[in-house]
Amino acid sequence: MDFSDRIQRVEPSATLAISSLASELKADGADVIDLSVGEPDFPTPANVVEACETAMEDGHTGYPSSKGVPELREAIAEKLQGDGLPYEADNVIVTPGAKQALYETVQTVVDDGDEVVLLDPAWVSYEAMVKLAGGDLNRVDLAPHDFKLEPALDDLAEAVSDDTELLVVNSPSNPTGAVYSDAALEGVRDLAVEHDITVISDEIYERITYGAEFTSLGTLDGMFERTITVNGFSKAYSMTGWRLGYLAAPEEFVSEAAKLHSHSVSAATNFVQHAGLEALANTEDDVNEMVEAFHERRDRLVALLKQHDVDAGTPDGAFYLMIPVGEAQRASDASGEQSDPRADDQQWCEDALEQAHVATVPGSAFGAPGYARISYAASLDRIEEAVERLVESDLL
Ligand code: PMP
Ligand code: GLU
C-alpha cells in the first residue's frame, strides 16, 4: 500500500503510546504505577453522568447541529464572557475533545511551508498537527529559563518575524506545569501584534492552578481578534473519555474551520454535549476538590523529590512536572564525547518502567531531551510508592 507523505511525517502520540504500554504490563499482572498519561484519576461528577443518561432517555441521540448544541454554545460563550472574552455563541465550535479543536485550528491556518512557533517543551500533538498540515516548526526553548516564558521573550522575539503564521501558547503548560505571568503574555502580545501572528491559546488546564493567577491571552489589548481560544472538559471535570472540547474565535475563522469540522467529525456527540452543559453549570465544588487534591499531591511530590536532591521547581498549574534525568550521561563522558541526551531520557523512562514499574514520558517527546515528565494525577500513596521504587532502582 502506498501511504501519504503527510502521514509518514508523524509518529504516534508518545503520551498515549506509553500509557498503552503501561496498561499492557498491568494486564500481564504487573503492579504498574502510571504517572505517564495526563488523566485525572477522579470519577466524572455524578450529576454530569446523570445529565448524560437523562439526555439519552430524552432522545438526544441523533446528529446535533454541526457546530454544537445551541444551548451549549451559548453556555460556553457565557463562561468565556465571564473570563473577560466577549465571545458570542456564533464564535464557538464544540468539538470531540480539545485535541480536535486544535487540529481544526492548525488545518485552518497553516499552509505548506508556513512557519509555526512552539514554546518548548510543548505538548506532543502540536508538532504532529503542524507537520500534518505541512507547516515548518520553529521552536523556542524555555528549558534554559527554568521553563519560564518571561526570561525567554528575547529568544521569542528573535524567532518570530513577519513570516510567522501561528504561535501556540499553552498556559498552564503541559508538560512543565508553568503558568505564564502577565508580563510574559504581554510580551507575546507585543510580538503577535507587531508581526501580525495568529495565536492559539490552549487553556485546557485553566482551572488547575495553585495560587497563580491565570490570564486568558485573548483578554489582552490587541489579542482578541487574533486569538483562537481552545479549551475542553477532559481535565477540569475529569471527562477525558467523553471527548468534549471547543474552540472560540472570530466568526470569519469559525466559518472556515466549521467546513473541516462538518466534513470530518460532523459534530461532537449529542448527549455528551448535554452533559457538558451540566458540567459547566453545576460542578464548582467537585472541581475545587479535585484541584485541592492535585495541589496536595504536587506539594508532596516536590518535597519527596527534594529529599532525593531532585529539583523540579514548584510548578503553579496543571498536574505535571519535569525532572532532569540522566545528568551523569549528559555531561561529557570520560572519552570527552557528549552522549545523546535524547537516548538518556528515553533510556531512563524505559528503565523506570521495566525496573520500577513506574510509567513516565521522556522529555524528548516534548522537545525537552534530558527530562522526564511525571503526571501526578495519582493518589498520594501511589506517588510516594513511585518515588520509593525509583530510588530503590537507583533512578533517583
Ligand atoms: N491540550 C493539551 C495541552 C493537553 O494536554 C491535552 C491532552 N489531554 C489536550 C489539549 C487535548 O485534550 P482533550 O482532547 O482530551 O480535550
Ligand atoms: N494530554 C494528555 C497527556 O499529555 C493526554 C494524552 C494526550 O492526549 O496526549 O498525557
Side-chain angles (χ1 to χ4, degrees):
M1 215 177 276
D2 198 13
F3 297 110
S4 68
D5 289 346
R6 200 179 318 111
I7 203 66
Q8 291 180 78
R9 279 179 220 145
V10 299
E11 298 293 328
S13 161
T15 45
L16 297 181
I18 287 161
S19 119
S20 309
L21 200 63
S23 303
E24 276 167 33
L25 274 173
K26 272 189 215 165
D28 289 346
D31 175 23
V32 175
I33 304 179
D34 191 354
L35 307 183
S36 66
V37 76
E39 175 162 50
D41 54 324
F42 303 102
T44 300
N47 55 323
V48 176
V49 175
E50 276 160 32
C52 183
E53 287 165 356
T54 307
M56 290 171 100
E57 282 158 15
D58 289 350
H60 295 293
T61 52
Y63 288 128
S65 85
S66 178
K67 283 184 266 186
V69 166
E71 303 91 295
L72 181 59
R73 292 176 80 203
E74 192 65 55
I76 290 168
E78 269 170 32
K79 178 245 179 267
L80 293 170
Q81 286 161 17
D83 298 338
L85 298 158
Y87 292 116
E88 301 293 337
D90 285 345
N91 297 113
V92 175
I93 301 181
V94 181
T95 53
K99 203 178 251 183
Q100 177 69 16
L102 291 161
Y103 182 77
E104 289 176 11
T105 301
V106 173
Q107 286 288 330
T108 301
V109 174
V110 177
D111 268 323
D112 273 337
D114 279 351
E115 183 187 87
V116 180
V117 174
L118 297 184
L119 303 171
D120 272 344
W123 176 52
V124 289
S125 293
Y126 301 140
E127 172 181 332
M129 289 175 190
V130 172
K131 285 182 172 170
L132 285 167
D136 288 338
L137 287 155
N138 186 357
R139 318 184 69 131
V140 175
D141 192 6
L142 305 193
H145 305 288
D146 294 331
F147 306 128
K148 293 191 174 71
L149 176 54
E150 207 179 328
L153 282 174
D154 286 345
D155 298 350
L156 181 62
E158 265 186 38
V160 296
S161 70
D162 290 351
D163 290 334
T164 307
E165 192 65 39
L166 182 68
L167 167 68
V168 183
V169 177
N170 168 219
S171 174
S173 153
N174 175 6
T176 67
V179 180
Y180 300 142
S181 66
D182 282 358
L185 297 178
E186 283 160 13
V188 168
R189 184 267 318 277
D190 293 345
L191 292 167
V193 170
E194 181 186 342
H195 297 292
D196 193 19
I197 301 169
T198 300
V199 183
I200 292 178
S201 182
D202 179 347
E203 306 187 347
I204 193 155
Y205 298 100
E206 159 233 356
R207 299 293 305 271
I208 307 173
T209 56
Y210 317 116
E213 200 61 43
F214 162 79
T215 298
S216 183
L217 199 54
T219 60
L220 301 190
D221 275 354
M223 284 310 288
F224 187 68
E225 286 308 316
R226 62 181 67 257
T227 301
I228 319 300
T229 305
V230 172
N231 207 330
F233 293 71
S234 286
K235 314 293 170 169
Y237 310 109
S238 199
M239 292 177 68
T240 47
W242 296 67
R243 312 308 303 127
L244 191 62
Y246 57 89
L247 64 82
E251 258 186 272
E252 54 171 2
F253 176 92
V254 165
S255 42
E256 295 302 317
K259 294 191 250 174
L260 174 60
H261 187 72
S262 69
H263 285 301
S264 54
V265 294
S266 298
T269 306
N270 194 340
F271 43 85
V272 167
Q273 295 194 50
H274 286 271
L277 266 172
E278 180 69 15
L280 280 181
N282 293 314
T283 48
E284 209 45 37
D285 291 347
D286 299 88
V287 174
N288 290 339
E289 267 172 40
M290 289 192 259
V291 174
E292 257 172 51
F294 287 135
H295 194 162
E296 197 182 354
R297 294 161 179 192
R298 181 208 60 177
D299 289 348
R300 183 75 57 89
L301 178 59
V302 166
L304 284 170
L305 290 169
K306 261 201 193 118
Q307 279 173 21
H308 298 285
D309 295 325
V310 180
D311 183 7
T314 308
D316 287 324
F319 35 69
Y320 308 106
L321 51 78
M322 297 285 265
I323 59 168
V325 294
E327 279 130 313
Q329 295 98 306
R330 269 197 288 148
S332 296
D333 65 19
S335 67
E337 274 176 34
Q338 194 89 20
S339 64
D340 174 8
R342 188 181 169 105
D344 285 351
D345 59 89
Q346 274 169 358
Q347 188 62 53
W348 190 91
C349 291
E350 263 171 47
D351 291 348
L353 188 55
E354 276 163 22
Q355 297 167 23
H357 286 165
V358 174
T360 56
V361 186
S364 308
F366 307 96
Y371 290 87
R373 186 191 78 174
I374 296 187
S375 160
Y376 50 88
S379 70
L380 284 173
D381 285 352
R382 294 300 265 175
I383 290 169
E384 281 169 10
E385 190 177 340
V387 173
E388 259 170 46
R389 288 191 198 174
L390 292 171
V391 171
E392 275 164 23
S393 301
D394 259 346
L395 288 159
L396 287 183

